């Protein structure tokens, strides 16, 4: 019994650091870099992606016994795209400004490899509750990285965090504007990955 | 917005480069840009699929989804079309064009989850392009993808031999190199271009 419980905790917490989708597994990079320009956009994108990830994990695990193995991938894609359409239209109706900023990246949640990957590698073999925990963990890991990146990028490029002015005047008067553009995103994720390699998960020596 | 085909081509090719300015297709960009040959294979496969996918999705959207008022099915229909198309292209090439297949065969299945393809088909619809302009747009994007991935693979081949600390080896230094390449491409922004 206790073993089972610790396994469940493992499913939940694996996604946050040890199997973090962006910084460790390096999947779902496009939305992570594209939408982390301001903290608000990044948070909106994470909520949308998390919703799709958790729901598709639950549904895939719910129908896993009826799905023949040979057609599982198209079925997963249909399930995922259904939830993406729900998110797409809901955001268009209730948060139109955020939707306009995120643009094409909302429908592109459907090709986020993280979501299909979890459906295939986890939800297809595990029960509903475990799949929910796994989805939640991965979603939290995704959100965490996106929000951290966006806070750094927003702060250095505008001197604001979540739209509030914080910190010394020189950042506001002379912002590092390039942080909001693609070069800043690539530089930041490179440094974050190097930080992870150095302090958290050391890569195997190759030579 | 401009309807000049040349401007649309240059905008898709360089000014709004699909990888470095739009942040699309990053997984193959970092995944297969390790050597020049793999980069070439991926870009040819991408060019091929992107053009066909744009034609097919454009036609289906304008002659099936719009008249029947089924626009809300766009995401599901497009991704399924692309997935089927990739399979179809793979079988067709395997049977009829052996040389081409051996050059890009293994990259074709990877393309299904390449967000660049799906994004180009969506953008061609969102910008309200005609079929000819959509073709030019897709061509520009595919060539832009190829240009960046081939340029970058040359850099990465050199990086293999660079004396680096262990924590920067592999992905981190590739990201930082990409940042410098992106900085060069950022110089074109403000020239002209499509609204992002």
């Amino acid at each position: 019994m206790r073993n089972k419980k610790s396994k469940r905790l493992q499913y939940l917490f694996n996604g946050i650091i040890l199997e973090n989708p962006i910084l460790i597994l390096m999947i779902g990079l496009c939305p992570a870099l594209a939408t982390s320009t301001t903290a608000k956009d990044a948070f909106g994108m994470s909520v949308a992606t998390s919703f799709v990830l958790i729901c598709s994990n639950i549904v895939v695990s719910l129908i896993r016994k009826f799905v023949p193995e040979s057609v599982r991938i198209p079925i997963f894609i249909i399930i995922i795209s259904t939830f993406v359409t729900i998110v797409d239209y809901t955001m268009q109706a209730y948060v139109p400004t955020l939707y306009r900023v995120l643009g094409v990246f909302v429908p592109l949640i459907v090709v986020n490899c993280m979501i299909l990957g979890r459906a295939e590698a986890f939800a297809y073999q595990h029960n509903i509750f475990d799949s929910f925990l796994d989805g939640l963990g991965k979603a939290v890991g995704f959100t965490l990285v996106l929000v951290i990146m966006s806070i750094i990028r927003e702060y250095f490029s505008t001197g604001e965090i979540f739209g509030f002015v914080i910190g010394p005047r020189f950042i506001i008067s002379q912002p590092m504007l390039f942080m909001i553009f693609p070069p800043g995103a690539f530089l930041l994720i490179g440094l974050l990955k190097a930080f992870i390699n150095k302090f958290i998960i050391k890569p195997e020596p190759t030579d | 917005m401009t309807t000049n085909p040349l401007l649309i081509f240059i905008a898709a090719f360089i000014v709004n480069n699909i990888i470095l300015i739009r942040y699309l297709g990053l997984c193959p960009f970092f995944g297969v840009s390790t050597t020049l040959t793999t980069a070439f294979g991926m870009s040819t496969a991408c060019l091929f699929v992107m053009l066909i996918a744009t034609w097919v999705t454009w036609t289906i959207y304008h002659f099936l989804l719009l008249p029947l008022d089924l626009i809300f099915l766009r995401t599901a229909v497009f991704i399924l079309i692309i997935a089927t198309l990739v399979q179809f292209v793979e079988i067709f090439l395997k049977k009829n064009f052996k040389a081409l297949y051996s050059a890009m065969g293994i990259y074709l299945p990877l393309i299904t989850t390449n967000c660049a393809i799906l994004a180009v088909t969506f953008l061609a619809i969102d910008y309200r392009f005609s079929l000819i302009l959509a073709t030019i747009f897709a061509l520009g994007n595919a060539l832009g993808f190829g240009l960046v991935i081939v340029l970058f693979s040359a850099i990465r081949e050199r990086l293999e031999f660079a004396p680096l600390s262990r924590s920067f080896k592999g992905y981190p230094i590739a990201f930082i190199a990409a940042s410098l390449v992106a900085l060069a491409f950022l110089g074109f922004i403000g020239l002209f271009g499509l609204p992002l």
Side-chain angles (χ1 to χ4, degrees):
Chain A
M1 192 63 211
R2 189 151 167 266
N3 196 8
K4 207 172 174 186
K5 208 170 179 182
S6 70
K7 215 170 181 184
R8 286 205 162 135
L9 280 179
Q10 203 188 338
Y11 291 147
L12 181 60
F13 288 109
N14 255 354
I16 299 175
I17 292 183
L18 288 178
E19 283 178 22
N20 188 297
I22 298 172
L23 285 177
I24 309 293
L25 305 179
M26 310 305 274
I27 50 179
L29 285 175
C30 305
L33 296 187
T35 60
S36 63
T37 45
T38 67
K40 225 170 95 194
D41 300 347
F43 194 69
M45 186 66 194
S46 320
V47 171
T49 310
S50 306
F51 172 78
V52 176
L53 175 59
I54 294 170
C55 289
S56 74
N57 250 8
I58 291 173
V59 172
V60 165
S61 141
L62 207 62
I63 62 165
R64 71 185 187 282
K65 289 192 179 127
F66 313 108
V67 176
E69 215 178 319
S70 48
V71 291
R72 66 187 192 283
I73 302 281
I75 289 177
F76 295 163
I77 291 178
I78 292 176
I79 292 167
I80 295 168
S81 61
T82 311
F83 286 113
V84 171
T85 310
I86 293 172
V87 167
D88 194 348
Y89 277 75
T90 314
M91 285 177 76
Q92 239 176 82
Y94 291 99
V95 277
T97 41
L98 181 67
Y99 182 80
R100 224 167 296 132
V101 174
L102 297 180
V104 77
F105 285 95
V106 178
L108 283 186
I109 296 174
V110 75
V111 279
N112 191 328
C113 349
M114 176 176 80
I115 297 172
L116 188 62
R118 288 334 284 171
E120 161 76 14
F122 195 91
Y124 194 54
Q125 283 109 23
H126 292 77
N127 67 28
I128 301 165
F129 188 60
D130 289 352
S131 304
F132 167 74
L133 286 182
D134 179 75
L136 189 67
K138 291 284 183 293
V140 170
F142 183 81
T143 310
L144 206 66
V145 175
L146 240 75
V147 169
I148 290 173
M149 281 184 65
S150 64
I151 284 177
I152 298 173
R153 285 180 70 188
E154 190 183 2
Y155 185 68
F156 281 109
S157 57
T158 60
E160 296 175 356
I161 293 173
F162 277 104
F164 298 108
V165 182
I166 292 167
R169 283 200 68 85
F170 70 91
I171 287 187
I172 301 156
S173 56
Q174 289 174 321
M176 287 166 66
L177 206 54
F178 100 110
M179 284 305 278
I180 213 165
F181 288 117
F186 287 121
L187 182 69
L188 180 64
I189 196 163
L191 294 179
L192 281 179
K193 179 74 185 159
F195 178 83
I196 296 260
N197 281 351
K198 177 85 186 165
F199 294 107
I200 298 175
I201 294 166
K202 297 193 170 69
E204 310 267 309
T206 44
D207 39 19
Chain B
M1 205 181 76
T2 175
T3 51
N4 183 337
L6 188 68
L7 290 189
I8 287 177
F9 178 77
I10 303 272
F13 185 36
I14 292 177
V15 182
N16 294 337
N17 186 282
I18 189 153
I19 296 177
L20 292 173
I21 304 298
R22 281 192 203 272
Y23 314 94
L24 290 164
L26 293 178
C27 303
F29 177 54
F30 288 108
V32 304
S33 68
T34 42
T35 64
L36 211 54
T37 22
T38 55
F40 262 119
M42 187 66 185
S43 359
T44 353
C46 187
L47 174 71
F48 208 70
V49 175
M50 207 181 262
L51 277 178
I52 301 176
T54 310
W55 288 328
V56 176
T57 52
W58 193 94
T59 317
I60 289 203
Y61 184 81
H62 285 271
F63 294 107
L64 205 66
L65 297 188
L66 266 186
L68 296 178
D69 204 13
L70 292 172
I71 303 173
F72 65 92
L73 283 179
R74 191 177 77 159
T75 313
V77 169
F78 279 23
I79 182 76
L80 283 179
I81 288 174
I82 291 172
T84 334
L85 200 68
V86 170
Q87 289 278 310
F88 177 75
V89 167
E90 196 182 349
I91 294 167
F92 181 76
L93 287 181
K94 204 172 182 176
K95 187 128 176 38
N96 296 325
F97 299 95
K98 278 269 162 56
L100 204 58
Y101 178 77
S102 59
M104 60 193 202
I106 52 164
Y107 305 105
L108 279 170
L110 292 176
I111 278 192
T112 316
T113 52
N114 182 344
C115 50
I117 308 278
L118 190 63
V120 167
T121 61
F122 280 149
L123 288 169
I125 304 279
D126 286 345
Y127 286 140
R128 295 169 203 282
F129 283 147
S130 66
L131 186 56
I132 296 169
L133 288 185
T135 311
I136 290 167
F137 179 69
L139 187 70
N141 274 318
L143 291 179
F145 182 87
L147 172 77
V148 170
I149 208 166
V150 169
L151 275 182
F152 194 63
S153 68
I155 297 175
R156 277 188 84 171
E157 282 191 354
R158 298 267 325 210
L159 282 178
E160 285 288 305
F161 303 106
L164 287 165
S165 84
R166 195 187 297 155
S167 33
F168 271 94
K169 268 214 156 54
Y171 271 114
I173 194 70
F175 279 124
I176 291 167
S179 160
L180 294 176
V181 181
L183 201 59
F185 270 75
L186 200 64
F188 292 105
I189 223 162
L191 190 59
F192 51 80
L194 302 159
L196 284 177

